[in-house]
Amino acid sequence: MISGDSIVALSSGRLPAGVAVIRISGPQTRFVVETIAGAMVKDRAAVLRRFRAPDGTVLDNGLVVFFPGPASFTGEDVAEFHVHGGRAVVARMLETITGFDGVRHAEPGEFTRRAFLNGKVDLVETEALADLVNAETEAQRRFAVQNAEGAQSELYLGWRRRLIHARAMIEAEIDFADEDDVPGSVSDTVWSDVRTMIDEIDRHVAGFRAAEIIRDGFEVVILGAPNAGKSSLFNALARRDAAIVTDEPGTTRDLLEVILDLQGLRVRLIDTAGLRDAAGKVEAIGIEKARAKAHGADLLLLLRDVLDPRDIGSLSTAPTLRVGTKLDLLEDRAASDAAVDYDLVISVKDGTGVEGLLAEIGQRAAEAAGNVGDILPSRLRHVELLGAANRHLLRAIDGQTVGQELRAEELRLAADRLGRLVGAIDVEDMLDVIFSQFCIGK
């Protein structure tokens, strides 16, 4: 697809900065480069030039790189101007470039949208690029890079190719059973592979929770009675004063959250209101939020003051670590006895056990995330389409009494759902398979 207009935008980070990168894509790119840089530059080579407006005004000195289409990110002519990262410099450059006929400011995501429309990336790779830009941890980066390089797309396209082949075999058996080139009795082989594929898709979809943990974070909720040391632990793990700490019960009344990076994984740590029965109206709302948050947690830290271990009742079926707090207030013998009643005992005041708790949380997060190198569905959209594909496959498997034609249609619908995952829907695929394998009409 060749766009009628060209788009331009700041493609680097927040200003001011040492260097700012301004990217332009579209049919006017070459003319803009020739005008602003004074002459055309060599393809794919960074060239130092003085940038001037059409009236001759000097804008800046910097590098310009030209990427001719279709061998560019968007598939169109693309150029980058590397200028000094001052707000005034960037604003003047953008004002000058958008002053050319047919050049406008890009909309959010429009460069990647053009790359997709021009066949440079598919939908899954597009989503992975967004994940790569937003990656905050090493696990997120590795996960996004793998998908951006096409591992996830190849898995889905591989399933789709198998379904197209299966459908072609079934329809060939139906329509061309008298031809020597068409193998007979292919049904058993086809349906055996479809059953295998159903299992493969089910196992893949089961990994969605691990993908959510990698992308969105492993959620750890701190619970306990008032003054059990929740906010003190929250601050210690966050390594800053993120929550107010006082001796007055009910100080924390809302959910507080910080993000930790443990073993390369994103961990969302949430502090909650102390749980008790007698509470004011506002505090009661906070307690209700704490109980609700506990039900969706990946891990609960159930804190109890070793000097006053108050019970807060049953909360959730989520994995739980029983943590005894304020260990520094006990004598050595009493501290040893207290450790028997908890998974971990800590003292935020002197740091005892805090690093061990962090290591345990990191280990739990790593186990929940599994192998970061695994190919996993990274969006709910993927899970929904994969689920729809499997439902069609199950109907095809269970449709022995409805005839091969209707079962082949279920295969088509399943392949369609897989095609929607990557944005590759093409009716010509079926013809390609038939003509390449069966010499029909020779």
Side-chain angles (χ1 to χ4, degrees):
M1 184 198 78
I2 303 300
S3 302
D5 53 1
S6 298
I7 54 174
V8 64
L10 173 66
S11 293
S12 52
R14 182 179 300 177
L15 302 176
V19 175
V21 178
I22 296 172
R23 177 186 287 175
I24 178 173
S25 176
Q28 298 299 315
T29 300
R30 184 179 295 270
F31 178 67
V32 170
V33 170
E34 290 174 343
T35 304
I36 291 181
M40 198 53 204
V41 297
K42 184 179 178 181
D43 295 351
R44 295 180 181 80
V47 180
L48 179 64
R49 289 288 175 87
R50 175 166 292 177
F51 301 142
R52 297 179 182 272
D55 64 3
T57 303
V58 175
L59 302 173
D60 195 12
N61 295 316
L63 299 176
V64 58
V65 189
F66 179 73
F67 305 91
S72 69
F73 173 66
T74 64
E76 306 171 329
D77 286 347
V78 174
E80 292 180 354
F81 295 97
H82 296 223
V83 300
H84 294 94
R87 291 189 176 90
V89 173
V90 171
R92 187 70 176 93
M93 285 288 295
L94 289 173
E95 179 185 1
T96 299
I97 295 172
T98 54
F100 288 86
D101 289 340
V103 183
R104 60 175 175 80
H105 289 285
E107 297 176 0
E110 194 169 2
F111 284 93
T112 304
R113 180 183 179 87
R114 291 193 177 197
F116 168 69
L117 293 175
N118 289 322
K120 308 302 290 186
V121 292
D122 61 34
L123 287 180
V124 173
E125 291 167 345
T126 297
E127 291 165 333
L129 287 174
D131 288 343
L132 188 58
V133 170
N134 295 321
E136 297 176 336
T137 66
E138 175 60 15
Q140 289 175 332
R141 184 197 66 80
R142 289 171 57 194
F143 186 56
V145 165
Q146 178 178 248
N147 291 337
E149 291 181 343
Q152 194 176 5
S153 297
E154 184 53 37
L155 177 65
Y156 299 155
L157 289 173
W159 283 333
R160 184 167 178 259
R161 285 191 294 268
R162 285 162 64 184
L163 286 181
I164 291 171
H165 179 266
R167 182 180 162 217
M169 291 293 182
I170 294 296
E171 295 197 350
E173 187 178 70
I174 294 169
D175 296 334
F176 307 103
D178 59 338
E179 295 284 342
D180 293 337
D181 296 334
V182 179
S185 302
V186 299
S187 297
D188 291 343
T189 301
V190 166
W191 299 122
S192 175
D193 187 53
V194 169
R195 290 186 182 91
T196 299
M197 196 181 309
I198 290 171
D199 292 338
E200 291 173 0
I201 292 175
D202 280 339
R203 288 194 297 272
H204 179 69
V205 170
F208 180 57
R209 182 60 195 136
E212 282 188 308
I213 288 171
I214 294 171
R215 291 184 66 249
D216 302 329
F218 183 78
E219 187 171 272
V220 180
V221 176
I222 304 174
L223 293 172
N227 288 340
K230 299 183 300 301
S231 294
S232 295
L233 176 61
F234 183 74
N235 288 342
L237 297 182
R239 292 185 169 86
R240 62 185 176 88
D241 291 335
I244 298 173
V245 179
T246 72
D247 293 331
E248 180 182 343
T251 301
T252 302
R253 299 190 175 190
D254 206 350
L255 303 177
L256 301 176
E257 179 176 323
V258 295
I259 305 299
L260 307 180
D261 185 341
L262 300 181
Q263 301 182 26
L265 289 166
R266 190 174 194 258
V267 174
R268 291 170 26 234
L269 183 69
I270 298 168
D271 188 20
T272 64
L275 303 182
R276 60 174 176 168
D277 293 328
K281 185 175 180 179
V282 175
E283 187 182 349
I285 294 173
I287 291 172
E288 196 57 38
K289 284 185 177 182
R291 293 184 182 277
K293 199 66 175 174
H295 288 287
D298 296 306
L299 177 65
L300 297 180
L301 301 184
L302 184 56
L303 271 57
R304 287 183 178 172
D305 183 341
V306 293
L307 292 177
D308 183 18
R310 282 176 282 172
D311 184 28
I312 58 175
S314 178
L315 293 168
S316 169
T317 58
T320 301
L321 278 176
R322 297 168 302 137
V323 181
T325 62
K326 305 182 183 179
L327 189 64
D328 57 286
L329 299 180
L330 295 179
E331 300 293 336
D332 290 344
R333 178 63 180 272
S336 178
D337 293 340
V340 176
D341 299 323
Y342 302 97
D343 298 311
L344 292 165
V345 287
I346 65 170
S347 168
V348 171
K349 185 174 182 179
D350 62 21
T352 301
V354 174
E355 288 302 319
L357 177 57
L358 268 176
E360 181 65 22
I361 294 172
Q363 181 62 32
R364 297 287 186 106
E367 290 173 359
N371 185 352
V372 177
D374 290 343
I375 302 174
L376 305 172
S378 54
R379 293 287 193 286
L380 183 59
R381 178 183 77 87
H382 304 168
V383 173
E384 292 172 345
L385 285 170
L386 289 166
N390 252 8
R391 287 192 293 274
H392 287 297
L393 295 181
L394 287 169
R395 281 198 285 269
I397 289 293
D398 296 334
Q400 292 91 339
T401 61
V402 299
Q404 295 285 60
E405 294 88 349
L406 292 180
R407 300 177 76 186
E409 175 63 9
E410 293 292 349
L411 295 182
R412 185 192 70 79
L413 292 171
D416 175 82
R417 299 307 182 271
L418 293 174
R420 293 184 186 186
L421 277 169
V422 296
I425 304 295
D426 188 354
V427 296
E428 295 298 318
D429 288 349
M430 179 59 56
L431 300 178
D432 291 342
V433 172
I434 293 176
F435 291 139
S436 66
Q437 297 192 27
F438 296 119
C439 302
I440 296 169
K442 69 182 184 215

